[in-house]
Amino acid sequence: MKLENKKVLVTGASRGIGKTITEKFIAGGAEIWGLDIKEPEDLQERLENAGGKLHWINADLSKTTEVEAVIEKALKESGGFDILVNNAGITRDNLSFRMSIEDWQKVLDINLTAAFLIARVVGREMIRKRSGSIINMASVVGIHGNGGQANYAASKAGLIAVTKSLAYEMASRGVRVNAIAPGFIESDMTAAVPEDARKKMIDSIPMKRTGTQEDVAEAALFFASESSSYITGQVLTVDGGMFI
Ligand code: NAD
């Protein structure tokens, strides 16, 4: 198994891509600390199915002054993480001229600031052990921009810049830092997209389909495992060819 005995922190693990990554990594032999603002309804069942390989942390990553303490505590309990998946993220879409400063700030706080703080706390410990892999969930929107998503695009572009900067800082200490840039993936986040916009979107994707959470989880597994041992500072786009 690719992740035998690896300890992993996954943020935004309640549902969607984070949940799928959690399940895939447990199947790969990892022990997971799942963090989310919302406890999933099926938590008890998931804990039982994982047979001791899943632990749960309730935390609100928008409370940026509290994030470091939450992660320090998780570090102590786990004994240190081998892999971090900074996956939690939100959208608060609006045209730039109508966007409230609160919606701007909230998206930046969760998607960028919290991810940076978590990477610093977890990364410090990885450096001590001279090994680790950090995976940041960005977006194609962070590379190309998107109308109505200035806050989200800025947060994901920032996350890509953090990924590359941390990769430079940590490479000689055995820690790799990479990002995944998903395109249009089926999840609760994208469920609200109206049917006509969805059709248009699919038409614009060369592979003529939306992505699955499994597609993204496979990319995360690649960056988490030794299969990518000579790769750092990279952004892997998972978008069916939407941007080639
Ligand atoms: P989702 O909304 O289904 O899941 C996000 C998770 O993050 C949820 O479980 C949510 O509770 C958690 N979360 C939100 N705010 C939080 C907070 N303050 N503290 C802690 N946890 C919080 O979304 P998803 O589609 O699974 O997206 C996962 C990641 O992938 C996000 O970073 C998203 O930006 C990124 N992404 C998704 C798509 C897509 O098409 N779905 C495309 C590109 C990038």
Side-chain angles (χ1 to χ4, degrees):
M1 284 199 277
K2 281 188 158 184
L3 301 179
E4 195 74 65
N5 297 324
K6 296 290 183 196
K7 291 182 180 176
V8 187
L9 175 62
V10 181
T11 70
S14 263
R15 67 178 201 183
I17 293 169
K19 180 181 181 188
T20 303
I21 288 174
T22 299
E23 284 165 359
K24 183 168 274 296
F25 281 22
I26 289 173
E31 186 173 357
I32 309 280
W33 275 257
L35 181 153
D36 209 290
I37 188 172
K38 280 194 215 116
E39 204 169 272
E41 276 167 25
D42 60 349
L43 180 60
Q44 212 44 49
E45 195 187 325
R46 281 173 66 181
L47 291 173
E48 278 162 25
N49 289 345
K53 293 281 197 178
L54 178 62
H55 312 268
W56 200 258
I57 306 163
N58 285 316
D60 179 357
L61 297 180
S62 72
K63 297 186 174 158
T64 50
T65 53
E66 296 171 16
V67 168
E68 285 171 299
V70 168
I71 304 302
E72 294 280 9
K73 187 164 170 265
L75 266 184
K76 278 207 189 94
E77 280 168 17
S78 64
F81 297 110
D82 303 292
I83 297 153
L84 162 65
V85 186
N86 263 323
N87 165 79
I90 62 159
T91 52
R92 289 283 185 280
D93 298 351
N94 214 334
L95 291 175
S96 298
F97 305 102
R98 292 190 194 144
M99 188 176 287
S100 69
I101 191 68
E102 289 77 20
D103 281 350
W104 167 268
Q105 196 58 51
K106 183 121 186 167
V107 170
L108 266 291
D109 283 348
I110 295 170
N111 296 9
L112 178 59
T113 307
F116 170 67
L117 294 172
I118 297 170
R120 263 200 330 192
V121 175
V122 172
R124 207 173 282 136
E125 191 61 31
M126 288 175 168
I127 284 173
R128 268 188 216 118
K129 286 196 292 187
R130 291 284 191 270
S131 110
S133 173
I134 297 176
I135 301 155
N136 292 322
M137 201 55 71
S139 166
V140 289
V141 165
I143 304 169
H144 302 281
N146 196 21
Q149 289 198 307
N151 50 358
Y152 184 75
S155 73
K156 297 301 189 181
L159 192 55
I160 289 171
V162 165
T163 301
K164 294 182 181 186
S165 302
L166 285 179
Y168 276 122
E169 292 177 17
M170 298 166 91
S172 64
R173 280 95 174 266
V175 182
R176 300 181 298 108
V177 191
N178 291 288
I180 298 170
F184 191 93
I185 309 298
E186 294 296 344
S187 79
D188 288 312
M189 186 181 263
T190 50
V193 175
E195 202 43 45
D196 52 335
R198 177 183 296 270
K199 274 209 184 94
K200 248 194 205 156
M201 184 84 72
I202 293 172
D203 273 349
S204 75
I205 300 171
M207 288 179 77
K208 299 293 171 212
R209 69 166 177 92
T210 53
T212 64
Q213 293 167 17
E214 188 69 21
D215 291 328
V216 181
E218 280 292 344
L221 180 62
F222 172 67
F223 279 140
S225 74
E226 285 304 303
S227 300
S228 60
S229 58
Y230 197 51
I231 301 175
T232 195
Q234 300 306 303
V235 184
L236 180 56
T237 296
V238 181
D239 71 349
M242 193 191 271
F243 296 101
I244 294 178

